[in-house]
Amino acid sequence: MKNVKYIFLTGGVVSSLGKGIAASSIGLLLKSRGLRVTLQKFDPYINVDPGTMSPYQHGEVYVTEDGAETDLDLGHYERFLDMNMSRANNTTTGQVYYEVILRERRGDYLGATVQVVPHITDEIKRRLTELGNTNKYDVVITEIGGTVGDIESLPFLEAMRQHMLKVGRENSLSIHLTYVPFIEAAGEIKTKPTQHSVKTLLEIGIQPDILVIRSHKGISQDIKEKIALFCNVRNDCVVSAKDVPTIYQVPLELSNEKLDDIIIDKLKIRAKKPDLAKWKKLVNKINNPKSEVTVGVCGKYNMVPDAYKSILEAFVHSGAENDVKVNIKWISAQDLESGKDSGKYLKGIDGLLVPYGFGERGTEGKIHAIKYVRENKIPFFGICFGMQMAVVEFARNVLKLKDANSTEVRKTKNNVIDLMEEQKGITEKGGTMRLGSYACNIKKGSKTYNTYKTSHITERHRHRYEFNNRFRMEFEDAGMVFSGINPDKDLVEIIEIPSHPWFVACQFHPELKSRATKAHPLFREFIKACKKYKKN
Ligand code: GLN
């Protein structure tokens, strides 16, 4: 068996430097050189997973094929590398402690005092090497969440140190991502925070091999040399990562800086020349759109765009495939609550997307927005809660069931959206929704069929409520088509209105399967419909 190479990515100075994008970019560069790569994220928080966190706290929860609720960086990994992640690709402090405490209760530690070192760090190392030990990968990239210096991430860094010591310098690499600020008053960029961050790493016993330096405009050779000298790394191992117009350009920037060559050289890997042709084409399309469309996104977490990360990225992919830039108009669902002037709030949009959501707040506004675009034949795309609200809207305004609602919002005589049977006994919150990949059969001749061009698909889910089949006939008689059905439980997965130019909504989350160079078909066709709407 060949030695698996481990690359660790840590972050310093400030958060939000785009560690996930950097990790994904490194992954893509190595993959483009013929290596079998996977990525994993270590999150220092104590939640077992982000599933129980509010979108305001954490942004989107990214659901994998196997139904794990994970960090949104896994979405970047999937989109950049065009491969599926799994439960094994995301570890949190909560999971590590949970496991260790379960073992302690079972008596597995045979009378020992259970401690952070070695028991917690050993469990981290077990997870660290789990992917590497599958024999499926040449390189495992591990992104350590948080910023160096945080108390929370210390056990992860200690595990990293121990692992690097064990496998040796030729099999492991430490990359540190930092930030060089420009101080306006001095007219200079400053390297001191980077020096301090590296010092903190050194105190923990980790010498970074490569520094990736984020900055607004890039850094000169002088600055690189200065950083190299004070941080104890080779001159050519200080790599600049300046701000770029799209995250998809980052791999190309890092490749220009020869980051992949340095990694391959340091890890003594044999790899072919990179093949980035498809990727360059994508970036070129993103940076040079032929026209633009505006999509209204009517949700309630609008002030936290990270809450809709995968949706926003899916618009980038589907925009590129349609040669358009997709502008987002954020529409706050609560503004439309009264049902008056819906048109005023929806002015200028070429399509409306109603995304996922939970709870009552904003639901009436979403329903009014959907009514407006249904009646005015503006393209509509509903996702999960967005589909559920489209069903409620249709029930109220077409079927004239005035009290129609989802049970999640209000219990009425006409709960056209109701709790799933399998959910009825569940009280625990963590990991208990209908999660992950499920099958769906597509009705021939429908818009959906023309979109997917196949009758069997699988898509990812995260919900507790579903279309209430008791109402199916009534809806069909009034012109709604159930174009996607889960064959095992007969659940409605996709609805559409054939008499409308584009009114399609799904119970699953298509955005989770949109890839940079392969836009999700539903997004692609929705944007196509928006383009057409704008033209007419
Ligand atoms: N709250 C709804 C449900 O649980 C929709 C969930 C979602 O939009 N992801 O079914």
Side-chain angles (χ1 to χ4, degrees):
M1 190 180 114
K2 268 200 320 192
N3 281 342
V4 180
K5 309 286 182 176
Y6 287 89
I7 298 177
F8 293 92
L9 186 67
T10 56
V13 181
V14 286
S15 57
S16 303
L17 287 180
K19 232 183 309 144
I21 306 294
S24 307
S25 301
I26 294 168
L28 174 73
L29 291 179
L30 297 180
K31 189 184 173 197
S32 79
R33 304 191 62 149
L35 296 166
R36 298 172 308 160
V37 184
T38 191
L39 294 114
Q40 63 183 337
K41 174 87 193 278
F42 284 169
D43 279 308
Y45 49 73
I46 295 173
N47 301 62
V48 170
D49 59 48
T52 54
M53 279 187 238
S54 143
Y56 292 111
Q57 286 277 317
H58 184 271
E60 160 187 286
V61 174
Y62 192 80
V63 180
T64 53
E65 287 288 296
D66 60 351
E69 297 181 284
T70 72
D71 186 72
L72 51 74
D73 277 335
L74 272 79
H76 292 307
Y77 303 167
E78 289 206 355
R79 290 187 283 270
F80 276 63
L81 275 84
D82 189 15
M83 62 188 274
N84 288 336
M85 296 289 127
S86 71
R87 196 171 291 281
N89 299 77
N90 193 190
T91 284
T92 66
T93 296
Q95 286 166 21
V96 171
Y97 272 80
Y98 198 79
E99 185 73 41
V100 169
I101 291 170
L102 278 181
R103 256 182 238 150
E104 186 274 336
R105 291 288 82 183
R106 274 203 308 262
D108 292 2
Y109 292 110
L110 300 171
T113 308
V114 182
Q115 293 176 300
V116 174
V117 184
H119 303 100
I120 294 296
T121 45
D122 280 354
E123 174 58 17
I124 296 173
K125 283 192 289 178
R126 188 186 69 76
R127 287 160 173 265
L128 180 61
T129 50
E130 207 180 5
L131 288 165
N133 290 343
T134 58
N135 226 340
K136 288 201 297 214
Y137 306 107
D138 304 313
V139 183
V140 177
I141 301 173
T142 305
E143 176 191 348
I144 299 187
T147 309
V148 166
D150 295 346
I151 293 174
E152 283 89 351
S153 55
L154 273 175
F156 289 105
L157 295 170
E158 171 60 13
M160 163 184 165
R161 184 193 69 77
Q162 291 181 13
H163 185 70
M164 291 184 77
L165 185 69
K166 181 169 169 227
V167 299
R169 304 305 293 179
E170 276 187 26
N171 298 315
S172 62
L173 203 59
S174 156
I175 303 182
H176 190 50
L177 182 73
T178 82
Y179 179 61
V180 173
F182 178 77
I183 306 297
E184 197 82 42
E188 276 178 13
I189 61 174
K190 292 291 178 191
T191 66
K192 193 77 87 192
T194 294
Q195 296 177 40
H196 280 296
S197 185
V198 171
K199 277 215 179 80
T200 308
L201 263 182
L202 285 168
E203 272 169 29
I204 307 169
I206 297 169
Q207 165 68 56
D209 299 292
I210 299 172
L211 296 173
V212 177
I213 311 287
R214 293 278 291 109
S215 67
H216 184 42
K217 291 200 168 140
I219 51 172
S220 63
Q221 190 55 33
D222 287 6
I223 297 289
K224 281 187 180 176
E225 283 168 20
K226 181 175 172 187
I227 294 173
L229 180 65
F230 291 124
C231 296
N232 214 22
V233 302
R234 257 166 40 189
N235 277 346
D236 65 328
C237 292
V238 179
V239 165
S240 163
K242 66 171 187 295
D243 290 351
V244 282
T246 162
I247 54 169
Y248 297 102
Q249 205 172 316
V250 175
L252 303 181
E253 289 294 312
L254 294 178
S255 156
N256 284 343
E257 290 277 309
K258 308 245 178 304
L259 178 59
D260 47 328
D261 287 336
I262 300 167
I263 292 173
I264 280 167
D265 170 53
K266 284 217 165 233
L267 290 174
K268 308 224 178 332
I269 305 175
R270 267 199 302 186
K272 64 180 182 80
K273 289 254 161 289
D275 176 8
L276 292 166
K278 243 168 113 181
W279 202 264
K280 284 183 181 152
K281 205 171 133 204
L282 166 77
V283 172
N284 191 31
K285 275 191 176 261
I286 295 172
N287 286 338
N288 303 292
K290 294 203 178 101
S291 60
E292 40 192 296
V293 295
T294 300
V295 172
V297 175
C298 181
K300 67 171 179 182
Y301 312 118
N302 286 0
M303 44 302 246
V304 200
D306 264 5
Y308 303 119
K309 191 83 208 166
S310 293
I311 290 178
L312 298 178
E313 296 308 325
F315 279 138
V316 176
H317 316 152
S318 50
E321 285 189 20
N322 280 291
D323 289 307
V324 294
K325 175 167 189 284
V326 179
N327 299 316
I328 304 295
K329 177 173 169 149
W330 295 104
I331 297 160
S332 165
Q334 274 154 293
D335 287 345
L336 283 96
E337 209 107 88
S338 73
K340 292 192 209 98
D341 300 333
S342 297
K344 187 179 103 193
Y345 295 105
L346 300 173
K347 213 175 135 195
I349 61 167
D350 305 309
L352 177 74
L353 178 125
V354 178
Y356 77 95
F358 293 86
E360 185 191 351
R361 187 169 61 81
T363 52
E364 290 302 314
K366 289 178 189 175
I367 293 167
H368 288 306
I370 296 169
K371 176 173 191 277
Y372 184 87
V373 296
R374 183 178 54 76
E375 290 176 347
N376 289 285
K377 306 240 184 272
I378 301 171
F380 169 71
F381 189 14
I383 293 181
C384 206
F385 202 57
M387 181 198 97
Q388 299 178 354
M389 291 302 105
V391 166
V392 172
E393 189 280 320
F394 196 87
R396 286 190 194 175
N397 300 315
V398 180
L399 303 181
K400 306 292 177 202
L401 304 171
K402 287 295 160 213
D403 65 345
N405 217 329
S406 162
T407 318
E408 182 179 4
V409 179
R410 193 153 301 126
K411 206 158 170 35
T412 72
K413 276 215 247 12
N414 292 299
N415 282 129
V416 288
I417 301 293
D418 199 9
L419 196 61
M420 272 183 279
E421 209 41 52
E422 66 206 56
Q423 286 286 331
K424 287 190 175 152
I426 294 177
T427 51
E428 269 198 32
K429 291 282 180 269
T432 55
M433 284 190 240
R434 180 175 183 241
L435 288 166
S437 186
Y438 287 94
C440 172
N441 289 346
I442 310 245
K443 194 178 197 142
K444 289 230 166 83
S446 62
K447 279 202 179 74
T448 311
Y449 185 84
N450 291 336
T451 298
Y452 281 99
K453 306 234 181 321
T454 169
S455 38
H456 300 287
I457 57 161
T458 60
E459 291 282 1
R460 297 187 200 167
H461 299 71
R462 183 172 189 253
H463 64 121
R464 295 187 200 279
Y465 296 82
E466 58 159 326
F467 181 86
N468 186 343
N469 279 338
R470 182 157 70 85
F471 292 92
R472 209 130 119 191
M473 294 259 272
E474 265 177 89
F475 275 76
E476 282 176 328
D477 288 346
M480 184 172 274
V481 166
F482 299 105
S483 51
I485 300 289
N486 168 264
D488 307 310
K489 298 229 159 109
D490 197 30
L491 304 181
V492 169
E493 296 278 12
I494 309 175
I495 63 165
E496 58 182 78
I497 301 178
S499 58
H500 187 285
W502 182 265
F503 192 103
V504 178
C506 50
Q507 183 55 71
F508 50 79
H509 291 272
E511 73 276 19
L512 302 176
K513 285 177 74 167
S514 190
R515 303 276 162 91
T517 52
K518 212 188 289 161
H520 189 283
L522 286 174
F523 274 88
R524 187 192 65 220
E525 293 307 302
F526 172 60
I527 294 301
K528 198 186 271 171
C530 296
K531 240 172 102 173
K532 204 162 150 199
Y533 175 84
K534 191 179 179 184
K535 218 165 125 199
N536 298 337

